[in-house]
Amino acid sequence: MQSEIVNMRIIRHLLVLLMHLSLGTFAERFSNGYYYQDIVNGNGGMYFHRIRLHVESSEPLVSAVQGSNVTLPCHYRYEPELNSPRRTRVKWFWQPEPGGVQERDVMVAIGTRHRSYGDFKGRVRIRRSAPGDASLVINPLQSDDTGRYRCEIIDGLEDESTTVHLKFRGVVFPYYSSKGRYLMNFHEAKEACEQQDSHLTTFEQLFAAWEEGLDWCNAGWVADGTAQYPVSVPREACGGTHLAPGVRSYGARDKDLDRFDAFCFTSSIRGEVYFLQHHSKLNFTEAEEACQNDGGHIAKVGQLYAAWRFVGFDQCDAGWLADGSVRYPIVTPRINCGLSEPGVRSFGFLPKHLKHGVYCYKVRW
Ligand SMILES: *[C@@H]1O[C@H](CO)[C@@H](O)[C@H](O)[C@H]1NC(C)=O
Ligand SMILES: *[C@@H]1O[C@H](CO)[C@@H](O)[C@H](O)[C@H]1NC(C)=O
């Protein structure tokens, strides 16, 4: 028995070896995803070229604002260059983040024929600004579009791909309850952000905001259930000077019992925020009505932040917002318009009978 098994093994090895030998020149063709043989007949001779298909993205991480358009770069080329164009098929796939969910089809294009799928229908096209340009244009960008995109080029036997990650560029803003500081549990903080047309920020978003200079001395909830605050300039009133600048964390907290402020994240320029031109100042109820009479709504805090950050909205007039706070956005700091840094100034929540201007919001589509 023992020797029979050994013999069988030897025979199998020999067979595999024979197969390799007999396939000879062809073996290379199947051994590797990149290469294939292109047979050219010229002058009666036969030449073998090794042609390699390269698929690359000049920008593997793209960030964009919701409601805008975005281009996910993808280019392909042959090495050596080809004299005549080949028929290629471009296919884009999408995998929402975090992973785990299966890749879904976004679009497929062969020559001028193309087809888009699901939610992407009618919102995507292949750019084709130059030979080999297979970049995907999404217009407009919607709230669920973030994730990992894969650009696949299929050319006969070959198929090569590259991936591009799409994330939202946004703005993080601190938020507290109209009833006061440190009063919201996790669920209330989440809801408060949503009511201001935003979401509880993720740690990555808060960290990016800190890198861009966000400095805030009150701890707020973050989407992962921790409470944190970003400090650029360490100071006594803000945890002391012995700690380095950074995002300071209280760690994971009790989502029902612990109470903090919130850090909200918004990434949307779907609508337009404007300061309503009105002949007189308005109390809160009048302000709400005035926006409605103008065909819009009183603006939410997240909408004002997004307009300030992404559209450069700058207005030195205190105005009511939907939550009963009074604020105004400054891009270019100047005398009599608040502090020395750009930002959204807040007077906090004011008694609703007081008279101010108002910021309204209109959806563009
Ligand atoms: C796409 O966005 C760019 C700015 O990022 C803008 O100039 C262009 O007009 C937009 N195109 C469309 C079709 O919206
Ligand atoms: C605002 O003024 C109107 C009168 O123009 C009044 O009816 C209303 O109660 C006032 N609202 C508040 C919150 O004071």
Side-chain angles (χ1 to χ4, degrees):
M1 273 303 273
Q2 195 68 330
S3 66
E4 255 174 56
I5 290 173
V6 170
N7 281 340
M8 285 292 287
R9 281 208 187 123
I10 290 171
I11 289 167
R12 211 171 60 214
H13 277 135
L14 278 174
L15 275 174
V16 169
L17 190 65
L18 273 174
M19 271 166 62
H20 276 169
L21 285 174
S22 65
L23 283 169
T25 54
F26 297 102
E28 197 172 64
R29 175 172 179 163
F30 299 106
S31 65
N32 168 329
Y34 288 127
Y35 296 105
Y36 63 99
Q37 305 277 350
D38 199 29
I39 301 165
V40 178
N41 278 302
N43 301 335
M46 274 245 281
Y47 301 89
F48 290 90
H49 288 296
R50 265 184 154 184
I51 295 177
R52 186 172 171 180
L53 171 64
H54 290 269
V55 179
E56 293 151 342
S57 178
S58 55
E59 228 182 318
L61 179 64
V62 171
S63 54
V65 185
Q66 236 184 79
S68 67
N69 66 58
V70 69
T71 302
L72 308 180
C74 174
H75 292 87
Y76 64 92
R77 62 189 167 81
Y78 293 95
E79 206 179 86
E81 264 181 52
L82 297 179
N83 298 327
S84 53
R86 294 179 68 92
R87 194 175 166 77
T88 48
R89 188 153 69 107
V90 178
K91 194 158 184 194
W92 278 91
F93 299 91
W94 170 65
Q95 190 174 28
E97 252 153 2
V101 185
Q102 270 219 317
E103 272 192 338
R104 296 176 203 166
D105 292 343
V106 173
M107 97 171 285
V108 60
I110 308 170
T112 54
R113 289 191 297 137
H114 54 85
R115 182 165 177 199
S116 50
Y117 301 90
D119 259 4
F120 291 101
K121 229 173 237 172
R123 286 197 296 132
V124 286
R125 63 183 176 86
I126 305 290
R127 187 171 59 177
R128 294 199 195 283
S129 64
D133 183 10
S135 305
L136 183 73
V137 180
I138 309 178
N139 187 21
L141 204 52
Q142 290 181 357
S143 62
D144 295 333
D145 288 348
T146 54
R148 174 182 174 277
Y149 286 77
R150 190 162 66 86
C151 167
E152 187 181 64
I153 308 297
I154 305 148
D155 165 18
L157 279 177
E158 296 311 297
D159 83 65
E160 272 302 301
S161 64
T162 189
T163 57
V164 180
H165 286 264
L166 172 66
K167 60 173 196 171
F168 285 142
R169 202 156 63 85
V171 52
V172 170
F173 61 95
Y175 195 77
Y176 60 91
S177 160
S178 59
K179 299 190 193 80
R181 291 270 180 199
Y182 284 164
L183 286 181
M184 296 184 287
N185 70 21
F186 177 81
H187 313 287
E188 289 159 349
K190 188 165 179 287
E191 200 182 310
C193 287
E194 281 159 15
Q195 280 171 359
Q196 298 314 311
D197 200 30
S198 62
H199 295 282
L200 215 46
T201 183
T202 64
F203 174 71
E204 288 75 21
Q205 290 159 351
L206 183 63
F207 188 80
W210 169 75
E211 285 182 312
E212 289 171 15
L214 182 65
D215 186 293
W216 196 254
C217 222
N218 298 90
W221 285 106
V222 171
D224 61 7
T226 60
Q228 320 211 16
Y229 64 100
V231 175
S232 306
V233 186
R235 50 197 186 275
E236 277 313 324
C238 201
T241 49
H242 58 289
L243 291 171
V247 179
R248 296 184 185 158
S249 180
Y250 287 109
R253 309 304 300 204
D254 189 310
K255 289 184 178 174
D256 297 313
L257 297 179
D258 287 329
R259 287 174 190 275
F260 296 98
D261 294 341
F263 285 106
C264 308
F265 175 88
T266 177
S267 167
S268 180
I269 52 162
R270 266 166 307 171
E272 186 200 357
V273 176
Y274 57 99
F275 184 76
L276 186 71
Q277 298 303 323
H278 199 267
H279 54 84
S280 62
K281 299 221 167 158
L282 309 159
N283 70 28
F284 181 73
T285 356
E286 292 164 339
E288 280 184 315
E289 281 171 17
C291 285
Q292 276 169 22
N293 292 341
D294 201 49
H297 291 282
I298 185 166
K300 297 178 174 179
V301 178
Q303 293 163 346
L304 184 65
Y305 266 93
W308 163 72
R309 184 58 168 272
F310 301 119
V311 191
F313 187 38
D314 183 304
Q315 183 88 38
C316 192
D317 293 285
W320 286 110
L321 293 173
D323 63 345
S325 63
V326 171
R327 305 177 192 235
Y328 64 96
I330 293 298
V331 175
T332 314
R334 50 202 183 274
I335 296 171
N336 300 331
C337 287
L339 307 171
S340 56
E341 300 277 313
V344 174
R345 313 261 177 274
S346 178
F347 296 94
F349 298 94
L350 296 184
K352 290 187 171 168
H353 65 269
L354 294 184
K355 303 233 170 189
H356 287 288
V358 61
Y359 288 97
C360 308
Y361 176 85
K362 265 185 205 169
V363 183
R364 271 184 283 147
W365 60 77

